């Protein structure tokens, strides 16, 4: 149980374009999902907390207008990287949990390369 | 503040036992979690402790001492495929997860 699916697995886009990443909880409902970014050989960095039916909560230093998060249902959250630049190239990973005391389960991640 | 500390790198031999330590100082405590992350992949959940003591799951065991702010992950009968990063995370204040920097384990033949 507690499977999280993330799509796409990898994407290459040109500077200035936007990219949407989907995160789905397949066998449970998640009122909260979490978006992380990870640069090579570094630890996970929490970008934002996605809340179903309300606005996302962004960590300090993360631009909410650049990283748009929508949590339209109890099983789907999307992250849109707008006007992408090469420095946005990274590994983006979503996660969710069954309840607030349960382990986080991660999607397979999306490797974004901006050329 | 919140702080989680782990050794940066460790090396061990195939078939051996290795212990990866984690110390933490966090606001609130709702559990300590261990994840394995292979290079280029997302983390996968291994084990967690809410109460003091040892939790055993096959070749992996995790120990917690809340009074000392200390946990370890024990890997037995090491295999080459165990070469990965191991992340310690605390579910703390507000039920928010805080991840440690990770320990990169290399298993040598």
């Amino acid at each position: 149980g507690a499977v999280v699916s993330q799509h796409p697995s990898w994407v290459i886009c040109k500077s200035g374009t936007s990219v949407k990443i989907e995160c789905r909880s397949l066998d449970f409902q998640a009122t909260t999902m979490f978006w992380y970014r990870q640069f090579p050989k570094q630890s996970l960095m929490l970008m934002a907390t996605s809340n179903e039916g309300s606005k996302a909560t962004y960590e300090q230093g993360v631009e909410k207008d650049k990283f748009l998060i929508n949590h339209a249902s109890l099983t789907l959250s999307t992250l849109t990287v707008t006007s992408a630049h090469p420095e946005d190239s990274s590994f983006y990973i979503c996660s969710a949990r069954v309840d607030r005391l349960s382990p986080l389960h991660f999607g397979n991640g999306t490797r974004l390369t901006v050329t | 503040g919140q702080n989680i500390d782990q050794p940066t790198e460790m090396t061990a031999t195939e078939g051996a036992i290795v212990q990866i330590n984690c110390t933490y100082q966090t606001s609130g405590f709702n559990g300590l979690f261990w994840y394995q992350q292979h290079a280029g992949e997302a983390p996968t959940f291994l084990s967690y402790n809410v109460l003091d003591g040892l939790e055993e799951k096959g070749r992996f065991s995790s120990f917690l001492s809340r009074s000392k702010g200390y946990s370890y992950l024990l890997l037995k009968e090491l295999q080459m495929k165990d070469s990965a990063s191991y992340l310690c995370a605390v579910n703390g204040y507000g039920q928010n997860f805080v991840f440690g920097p990770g320990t990169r384990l290399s298993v040598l033949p």
Side-chain angles (χ1 to χ4, degrees):
Chain A
V3 179
V4 177
S5 173
Q6 188 173 339
H7 179 81
S9 299
W10 59 270
V11 58
I12 302 172
C13 70
K14 293 185 177 180
S15 275
T17 61
S18 296
V19 173
K20 180 186 281 189
I21 303 170
E22 291 188 350
C23 180
R24 294 180 186 273
S25 56
L26 296 186
D27 52 358
F28 67 100
Q29 294 183 332
T31 55
T32 305
M33 291 184 176
F34 303 89
W35 287 96
Y36 289 85
R37 181 167 55 183
Q38 187 175 38
F39 292 105
K41 295 192 177 181
Q42 294 188 22
S43 191
L44 297 169
M45 186 193 83
L46 179 64
M47 297 176 66
T49 301
S50 172
N51 305 299
E52 188 269 336
S54 65
K55 291 183 179 180
T57 306
Y58 290 82
E59 295 299 302
Q60 194 171 12
V62 178
E63 299 175 59
K64 61 180 181 181
D65 295 330
K66 181 170 184 61
F67 298 99
L68 299 179
I69 291 173
N70 185 288
H71 197 146
S73 77
L74 287 170
T75 59
L76 173 65
S77 174
T78 60
L79 168 68
T80 301
V81 183
T82 62
S83 187
H85 290 283
E87 57 265 31
D88 298 324
S89 298
S90 188
F91 191 44
Y92 293 85
I93 319 171
C94 72
S95 69
R97 55 189 175 185
V98 174
D99 58 56
R100 294 165 73 86
L101 299 179
S102 295
L104 283 179
H105 293 275
F106 290 86
N108 287 333
T110 298
R111 187 159 306 283
L112 171 63
T113 302
V114 184
T115 61
Chain B
Q2 304 193 96
N3 186 53
I4 298 179
D5 202 24
Q6 304 177 234
T8 305
E9 291 188 27
M10 297 183 72
T11 303
T13 306
E14 196 175 12
I17 300 173
V18 71
Q19 177 176 310
I20 302 174
N21 296 325
C22 171
T23 57
Y24 66 91
Q25 293 173 305
T26 58
S27 306
F29 182 85
N30 296 295
L32 188 138
F33 300 77
W34 284 95
Y35 289 83
Q36 179 190 61
Q37 186 178 24
H38 284 101
E41 299 180 10
T44 55
F45 168 67
L46 288 177
S47 179
Y48 80 108
N49 300 70
V50 179
L51 301 176
D52 289 354
L54 188 69
E55 289 286 337
E56 297 188 76
K57 288 177 82 173
R59 292 191 300 116
F60 298 84
S61 303
S62 58
F63 171 84
L64 174 68
S65 169
R66 287 172 297 170
S67 62
K68 295 181 179 178
Y70 167 71
S71 173
Y72 67 72
L73 179 69
L74 195 70
L75 292 78
K76 303 175 187 174
E77 301 168 19
L78 278 175
Q79 302 174 11
M80 299 296 288
K81 66 178 182 179
D82 297 329
S83 292
S85 286
Y86 291 85
L87 309 176
C88 167
V90 174
N91 185 355
Y93 176 77
Q95 289 85 46
N96 290 323
F97 269 68
V98 179
F99 281 86
T103 298
R104 195 156 49 246
L105 173 67
S106 298
V107 180
L108 305 177

